[in-house]
Amino acid sequence: MARVSQEHLDARRRQILDGAARCFARNGFHGTSMQDVLKEVGLSAGAVYRYFSGKEDIIAAITEETFAVIRGAFEEAARMTPPPTPDALLSRVLGGVLSGQVHGLERRVFAALVVQLWSETLRDERLAVLLDEGYATMRVAWGKLVDAYRAVGILSSDVPGDHVARTMIATAQGFIAQEALFGDVRPEVLENGLCGLMSITPQKIS
């Protein structure tokens, strides 16, 4: 029997994940059956179960991969020297993440899939652990970025770095949620809006 190459195995796994992602984005996790996935990817049950034990295993794999893509994009941006300001950085990273490169999905469809994944973590402990790990890693990456901002003198030291990191992550999450719900949320809108907010002069409240 001819030995199957690793490239073939990787390509088949990719085929399954991308097809399942399209199904989940279209019909939701609970509205999609394994039969739907099999029909989408054009493979037999035996071929799919060689890679995944079932639908929950596929969902976990898509969750892990999706969160890793988003986390990796921010970690890469955080290593840039000099670091882009938050408005430019968020616009650049989210524009790339939503560019249709993940699972081959259109940006709004991919954003909707991400929101579904977030929702699913509320009921699935395995997915919740993946989300918690990714969130913790992103907070560390953003904390380093805050240190870089302070090193070049564009951010004061009177606000804890973790507070800034969590706020920027929340901004990114909000952008993705807006794209999922309403569509046509362009990166330049986010950049211009953040730039405007960053220009506000803090006022003392008497």
Side-chain angles (χ1 to χ4, degrees):
M1 181 179 296
R3 183 175 182 180
V4 178
S5 69
Q6 186 61 47
E7 290 79 7
H8 174 83
L9 295 174
D10 292 343
R12 184 54 56 85
R13 187 177 189 274
R14 174 84 276 132
Q15 177 185 354
I16 296 168
L17 288 178
D18 288 351
R22 291 193 298 270
C23 285
F24 296 144
R26 186 167 59 240
N27 301 318
F29 294 122
H30 303 290
T32 299
S33 67
M34 277 300 293
Q35 286 302 317
D36 295 326
V37 174
L38 296 177
K39 183 178 179 179
E40 182 74 23
V41 300
L43 296 173
S44 67
V48 172
Y49 285 120
R50 177 179 181 180
Y51 297 87
F52 302 99
S53 62
K55 188 173 78 169
E56 296 300 320
D57 200 26
I58 296 176
I59 293 173
I62 290 175
T63 300
E64 186 171 17
E65 184 176 78
T66 300
F67 291 164
V69 168
I70 297 173
R71 182 175 68 247
F74 280 99
E75 290 174 344
E76 180 180 354
R79 291 192 292 268
M80 297 177 66
T81 304
T85 53
D87 53 327
L89 185 145
L90 278 173
S91 174
R92 179 183 307 175
V93 170
L94 288 172
V97 167
L98 297 176
S99 64
Q101 298 175 356
V102 184
H103 303 304
L105 301 175
E106 295 180 358
R107 56 182 296 158
R108 187 173 183 183
V109 176
F110 175 67
L113 178 64
V114 173
V115 172
Q116 288 189 65
L117 291 174
W118 287 338
S119 176
E120 197 69 9
T121 63
L122 299 177
R123 58 167 293 277
D124 189 312
E125 185 176 350
R126 179 181 178 184
L127 301 186
V129 170
L130 292 175
L131 180 63
D132 287 345
E133 291 174 349
Y135 183 56
T137 303
M138 285 186 65
R139 284 172 64 179
V140 171
W142 273 95
K144 293 178 180 178
L145 190 61
V146 169
D147 292 339
Y149 288 147
R150 287 174 174 160
V152 297
I154 64 173
L155 181 67
S156 65
S157 60
D158 56 350
V159 177
D162 185 58
H163 292 189
V164 177
R166 293 174 68 177
T167 299
M168 298 309 299
I169 293 171
T171 302
Q173 291 173 318
F175 181 90
I176 293 173
Q178 281 194 12
E179 177 62 36
L181 294 171
F182 310 114
D184 195 32
V185 181
R186 300 181 304 277
E188 59 268 25
V189 173
L190 173 67
E191 182 170 353
N192 291 336
L194 280 175
C195 186
L197 288 173
M198 289 161 56
S199 69
I200 294 177
T201 302
Q203 300 291 321
K204 297 286 186 179
I205 300 178
S206 58

